[in-house]
């Protein structure tokens, strides 16, 4: 069966520090991968998605970036965090054999910027 | 662009009763999928149920069912026999062919003992 791992679960970082959140998927190949951000009590905002290695699409311009160095690895990064980067970050994967497959989410990372 | 509306920011239901969470969508496409997710306070997003636009039968998964009314562009989630563990945020989402998911703002469900 397929599983998705996302870490760390919680992160507290000072303003201006770098960021690296990692997400890996097991049990499937060539998935679509996604990074979302969720403000407290709000809906999901799509940040990045990837349909293959090295292919990244950005939905929202910001100081974050994403990379997909391997088929089942998705990384969210920042060189200098802002206070507004605080939030709950979710990674998700979706199979591509049929277009109407659901997204499956990791457990999320709670990021607090001080 | 497609849009998802969930008009109920919060809902209360008594344990063991049924509850309906509303979801309406706006698209001119004929082919699309509708999804419901549950997000407990721990944060993970759990996929609950799917309805395809061409499905003639309403989807059901255990205690979850969809009241799909295509002409009215609504896909309401019905939870039967509510349990305390059903207390969570619930998100409706639409997927059009070749595009990404669009999520609604969510409804917070509280199940009362």
């Amino acid at each position: 069966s397929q599983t998705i791992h996302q870490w760390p679960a919680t992160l507290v970082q000072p303003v201006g520090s770098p960021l690296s959140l990692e997400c890996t998927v097991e049990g499937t190949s060539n998935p679509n991968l996604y990074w979302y951000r969720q403000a407290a009590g709000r809906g999901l905002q799509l940040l990045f998605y990837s349909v293959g290695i090295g292919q990244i699409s950005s939905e929202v311009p910001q100081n974050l970036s994403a990379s997909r160095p391997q088929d089942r690895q998705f990384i969210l990064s920042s060189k200098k965090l802002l206070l507004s980067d605080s939030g709950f970050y979710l990674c998700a994967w979706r199979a591509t054999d049929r277009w109407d497959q659901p997204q499956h989410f990791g457990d999320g990372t709670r990021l607090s910027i001080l | 662009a497609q849009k998802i509306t969930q008009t109920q920011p919060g809902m209360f239901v008594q344990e063991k009763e049924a509850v309906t969470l509303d979801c309406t969508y706006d698209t001119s496409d004929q082919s699309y999928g509708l999804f419901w997710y549950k997000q407990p306070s721990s944060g993970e997003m759990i996929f609950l149920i799917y309805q395809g636009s061409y499905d003639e039968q309403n989807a059901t998964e255990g205690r979850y069912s969809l009241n799909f009314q295509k002409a009215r562009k609504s896909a309401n989630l019905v939870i039967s026999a509510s349990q305390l563990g059903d207390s969570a945020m619930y998100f409706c989402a639409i997927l059009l062919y070749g595009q990404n998911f669009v999520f609604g703002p969510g409804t917070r469900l509280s199940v009362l003992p």
Side-chain angles (χ1 to χ4, degrees):
Chain A
S1 64
Q2 303 91 354
T3 56
I4 179 169
H5 303 281
Q6 185 181 342
W7 69 92
T10 306
L11 192 59
V12 180
Q13 292 283 96
V15 169
S17 64
L19 173 74
S20 181
L21 302 181
E22 191 161 341
C23 173
T24 59
V25 181
E26 296 177 359
T28 187
S29 58
N30 196 31
N32 285 352
L33 297 173
Y34 307 84
W35 278 111
Y36 288 89
R37 178 169 60 199
Q38 185 180 28
R42 309 293 290 272
L44 276 69
Q45 178 188 35
L46 179 63
L47 301 176
F48 301 94
Y49 67 95
S50 171
V51 299
I53 297 174
Q55 301 178 61
I56 308 295
S57 296
S58 173
E59 289 291 303
V60 180
Q62 61 226 321
N63 69 319
L64 299 173
S65 62
S67 62
R68 185 170 177 174
Q70 300 180 44
D71 181 45
R72 289 167 288 177
Q73 184 185 27
F74 206 24
I75 299 171
L76 182 69
S77 304
S78 174
K79 293 182 180 177
K80 285 187 177 181
L81 285 167
L82 307 172
L83 283 173
S84 58
D85 292 324
S86 290
F88 188 57
Y89 289 80
L90 285 157
C91 180
W93 73 274
R94 188 163 74 92
T96 55
D97 53 331
R98 282 174 43 186
W99 75 270
D100 58 352
Q101 293 288 324
Q103 289 185 344
H104 302 280
F105 289 81
D107 290 341
T109 296
R110 295 195 185 277
L111 176 63
S112 300
I113 310 299
L114 303 179
Chain B
Q2 67 273 22
K3 184 179 176 181
I4 289 279
T5 301
Q6 296 180 252
T7 57
Q8 308 150 313
M11 288 279 289
F12 291 89
V13 64
Q14 208 68 36
E15 193 178 9
K16 300 181 184 177
E17 293 185 350
V19 63
T20 298
L21 306 183
D22 294 342
C23 173
T24 57
Y25 55 93
D26 181 18
T27 182
S28 56
D29 285 31
Q30 295 300 309
S31 183
Y32 51 87
L34 295 156
F35 302 78
W36 276 91
Y37 286 83
K38 172 184 177 182
Q39 187 179 39
S41 57
S42 51
E44 74 271 28
M45 292 279 286
I46 303 166
F47 166 64
L48 295 178
I49 194 168
Y50 163 80
Q51 179 82 45
S53 59
Y54 292 113
D55 293 342
E56 296 185 352
Q57 303 262 8
N58 284 339
T60 62
E61 286 287 348
R63 294 187 298 112
Y64 304 109
S65 61
L66 263 173
N67 182 3
F68 180 48
Q69 300 185 45
K70 190 170 182 177
R72 300 181 64 179
K73 296 187 178 180
S74 73
N76 299 336
L77 177 70
V78 180
I79 305 175
S80 62
S82 296
Q83 302 172 357
L84 295 178
D86 294 334
S87 294
M89 284 288 288
Y90 288 82
F91 292 94
C92 180
I94 188 170
L95 175 65
L96 301 185
Y97 181 80
Q99 298 191 28
N100 286 317
F101 280 64
V102 175
F103 286 84
T107 294
R108 181 172 298 281
L109 176 66
S110 299
V111 181
L112 306 175

